[in-house]
């Protein structure tokens, strides 16, 4: 049970662990409905999630005035953990087992959970780092004491902690593409550790007006390799979601697809304002991997939409043969039909994505408060918002 100092609290990892174990914990989000709709604690059972303004909860005099089960614990959530502590204290006085989420949703959005994956033969350790609030995934590859980090967030503390746990030295950092939904930590990590930052040069640019980016990169091209110990990570240029999107393939065993391929969808090609052009690039990328990849290769994406995509061990990944049979985006036989399907599913995306792209291209800076607002909510990088 979380440490009890003042109002008892759940630390984000403690709450995540409880929900992943299947414990029946009620989530009471006391923020305004529009904020809760933009991002919330969505692990666990949907029927145990409640959004009631904190002022309403603090006005009740009996527990039966709110739809909470008094027999189950309640995790109270606000933005930063201040209002939730007051609401939790009020609920406890009325007899509920209520705890406040320490740091609020901001801390939840930063939470990263490492999950061990089956390593290809040239790796000693292969770790998926799951940012559960964003539905975002990064990776740590370790071979002969050297490590490669792929797609880290700006707060890369969990990555560095995992690096220390596996007793490896950071050899390189890479992004599969310039992200739109979160600020990358790759450039900062590479600079601070004096290692290369790998990125395709087509993404070292602001896509909305063509302004060149200011990133210090080691450029990747199709068939380029990143050497990590005895492992050779091969880059496959897979444009469509972005013009510089790259998939990193390890031993023909695993593919880090970034936002190119997801378990249940595909990376949306409409974020750069060039839907038809990028959709045709995406078609070519899809056709290439359908031709070249073996069914038993495992796809590990940079995002997921829901717990439905998880495997039994809670990691996110799928055999390519399963993907080609079940993913709607991979069922088309003609480019025209694929492009038409893309255009039908194109939708609006958060205005913040333009700003995040500029930050990730080294063209803009933001304060901690601005970053908090920019990164609020789940990713919307899959076609159809999935």
């Amino acid at each position: 049970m979380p440490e009890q100092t003042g109002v008892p609290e759940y630390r984000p990892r403690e709450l995540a662990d409880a929900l992943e174990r299947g414990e029946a914990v009620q989530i009471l989000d006391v923020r305004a409905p529009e904020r809760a709709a933009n991002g919330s604690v969505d692990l666990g059972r949907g029927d145990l999630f409640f959004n009631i303004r904190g002022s309403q909860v603090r006005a009740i005099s009996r527990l039966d005035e709110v739809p909470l089960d008094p027999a189950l614990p309640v995790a109270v959530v606000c933005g930063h953990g201040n209002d939730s502590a007051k609401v939790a204290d009020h609920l406890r006085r009325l007899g509920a087992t209520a705890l406040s989420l320490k740091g609020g949703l901001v801390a939840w959005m930063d939470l990263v959970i490492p999950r061990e994956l089956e390593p290809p033969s040239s790796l000693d350790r292969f770790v998926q780092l799951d940012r559960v609030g964003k539905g975002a995934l990064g990776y740590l590859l370790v071979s002969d004491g050297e490590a490669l980090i792929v797609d880290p967030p700006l707060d890369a503390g969990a990555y560095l902690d995992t690096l220390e746990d596996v007793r490896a030295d950071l050899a390189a950092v890479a992004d599969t593409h310039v992200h739109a939904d979160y600020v990358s930590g790759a450039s900062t990590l590479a600079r601070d550790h004096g290692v290369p930052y790998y990125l395709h040069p087509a993404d070292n640019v602001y896509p909305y007006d063509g302004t060149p980016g200011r990133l210090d990169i080691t450029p990747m091209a199709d068939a380029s390799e990143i050497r990590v110990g005895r492992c050779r990570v091969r880059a496959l240029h897979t444009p469509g979601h972005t013009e510089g999107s790259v998939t990193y393939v390890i031993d023909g065993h695993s593919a880090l697809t970034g936002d190119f391929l997801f378990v249940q969808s595909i990376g949306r090609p409409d974020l750069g304002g060039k839907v038809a052009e990028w959709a045709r690039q995406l078609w070519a990328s899809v056709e290439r991997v359908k031709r070249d990849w073996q069914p038993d290769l495992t796809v590990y994406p940079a995002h997921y939409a829901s717990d439905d995509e998880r495997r039994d061990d809670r990691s996110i990944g799928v055999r390519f043969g399963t993907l080609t049979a079940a993913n709607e985006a991979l069922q088309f036989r003609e480019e025209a039909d694929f492009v038409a399907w893309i255009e039908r599913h194109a939708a609006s995306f958060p205005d913040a994505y333009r700003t995040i792209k500029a930050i990730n291209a080294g063209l803009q800076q933001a304060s901690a408060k601005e970053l908090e607002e920019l990164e609020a909510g789940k990713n919307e990088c899959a076609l159809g918002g999935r």
Side-chain angles (χ1 to χ4, degrees):
M1 191 56 83
E3 179 183 351
Q4 298 190 15
T5 55
V7 175
E9 294 179 317
Y10 274 116
R11 300 181 193 279
R13 180 62 189 268
E14 290 170 324
L15 179 57
D17 286 347
L19 294 171
E20 291 202 326
R21 287 192 300 267
E23 295 182 16
V25 179
Q26 300 172 104
I27 306 297
L28 175 60
D29 194 319
V30 297
R31 298 174 298 149
E34 60 271 18
R35 287 193 171 271
N38 193 41
S40 61
V41 176
D42 61 358
L43 285 180
R45 289 166 44 183
D47 64 324
L48 295 182
F49 176 85
F50 305 93
N51 177 212
I52 310 172
R53 287 180 183 270
S55 57
Q56 293 177 252
V57 180
R58 292 175 67 188
I60 67 171
S61 57
R62 302 188 316 274
L63 284 179
D64 61 9
E65 295 178 53
V66 289
L68 296 173
D69 186 339
L72 299 178
V74 184
V76 186
V77 181
C78 68
H80 294 85
N82 299 317
D83 290 344
S84 59
K86 297 173 184 177
V87 172
D89 182 58
H90 182 64
L91 289 173
R92 291 180 71 84
R93 293 175 188 275
L94 297 179
T97 305
L99 301 93
S100 174
L101 177 62
K102 184 178 178 63
L105 197 76
V106 171
W108 180 260
M109 295 299 293
D110 285 338
L111 174 64
V112 175
I113 299 177
R115 306 186 196 279
E116 290 279 349
L117 303 174
E118 176 192 356
S121 59
S122 65
L123 294 181
D124 302 313
R125 303 286 290 275
F126 189 22
V127 184
Q128 184 176 77
L129 292 115
D130 183 356
R131 190 176 173 192
V132 295
K134 293 292 295 181
L137 302 165
Y139 297 88
L140 177 68
L141 287 62
V142 179
S143 178
D144 291 345
E146 295 185 348
L148 167 67
I149 287 176
V150 180
D151 288 335
L154 184 60
D155 181 356
Y159 287 68
L160 296 177
D161 290 344
T162 306
L163 186 68
E164 183 176 352
D165 289 343
V166 300
R167 299 181 180 179
D169 295 322
L170 186 61
V173 185
D175 272 327
T176 52
H177 64 292
V178 164
H179 301 273
D181 65 305
Y182 69 86
V183 176
S184 170
S187 181
T188 300
L189 268 178
R191 183 191 66 229
D192 290 350
H193 289 79
V195 299
Y197 168 35
Y198 291 97
L199 183 75
H200 195 286
D203 265 15
N204 193 9
V205 64
Y206 188 59
Y208 302 104
D209 62 11
T211 301
R214 298 174 185 160
L215 300 172
D216 182 11
I217 65 169
T218 298
M220 297 301 290
D222 193 59
S224 296
E225 290 186 345
I226 302 174
R227 297 189 174 189
V228 186
R230 66 184 183 280
C231 179
R232 302 295 181 263
V233 181
R234 183 173 177 270
L236 183 69
H237 186 207
T238 47
H241 176 66
T242 68
E243 291 188 298
S245 172
V246 167
T247 291
Y248 293 109
V249 182
I250 310 142
D251 300 347
H253 172 284
S254 304
L256 309 184
T257 55
D259 287 12
F260 163 42
L261 291 177
F262 301 124
V263 173
Q264 295 182 349
S265 187
I266 196 167
R268 56 191 298 178
D270 58 342
L271 295 182
K274 305 171 185 176
V275 182
E277 177 184 342
W278 286 14
R280 287 191 290 271
Q281 293 182 20
L282 190 58
W283 167 260
S285 297
V286 167
E287 287 299 288
R288 180 182 185 185
V289 299
K290 285 171 70 175
R291 181 185 66 243
D292 295 346
W293 285 359
Q294 296 299 311
D296 60 350
L297 176 143
T298 302
V299 168
Y300 292 110
H303 287 304
Y304 60 95
S306 72
D307 266 11
D308 293 343
E309 299 180 32
R310 294 191 184 278
R311 304 188 291 195
D312 290 343
D313 64 358
R314 303 290 296 168
S315 68
I316 305 291
V318 62
R319 299 293 185 189
F320 186 60
T322 302
L323 198 68
T324 56
N327 190 319
E328 183 182 3
L330 275 60
Q331 306 307 308
F332 295 93
R333 296 181 178 273
E334 300 293 336
E335 178 182 319
D337 294 334
F338 177 81
V339 173
W341 179 77
I342 293 284
E343 291 176 333
R344 287 196 304 273
H345 285 80
S348 61
F349 57 89
D351 289 339
Y353 281 17
R354 296 177 183 269
T355 303
I356 294 173
K357 281 276 193 183
I359 295 170
N360 281 338
L363 298 170
Q364 192 169 326
Q365 294 183 330
S367 67
K369 179 64 176 176
E370 290 168 334
L371 290 173
E372 177 186 313
E373 292 294 326
L374 287 169
E375 292 203 13
K378 282 276 191 183
N379 74 88
E380 295 183 31
C381 292
L383 194 65
R386 296 211 51 188

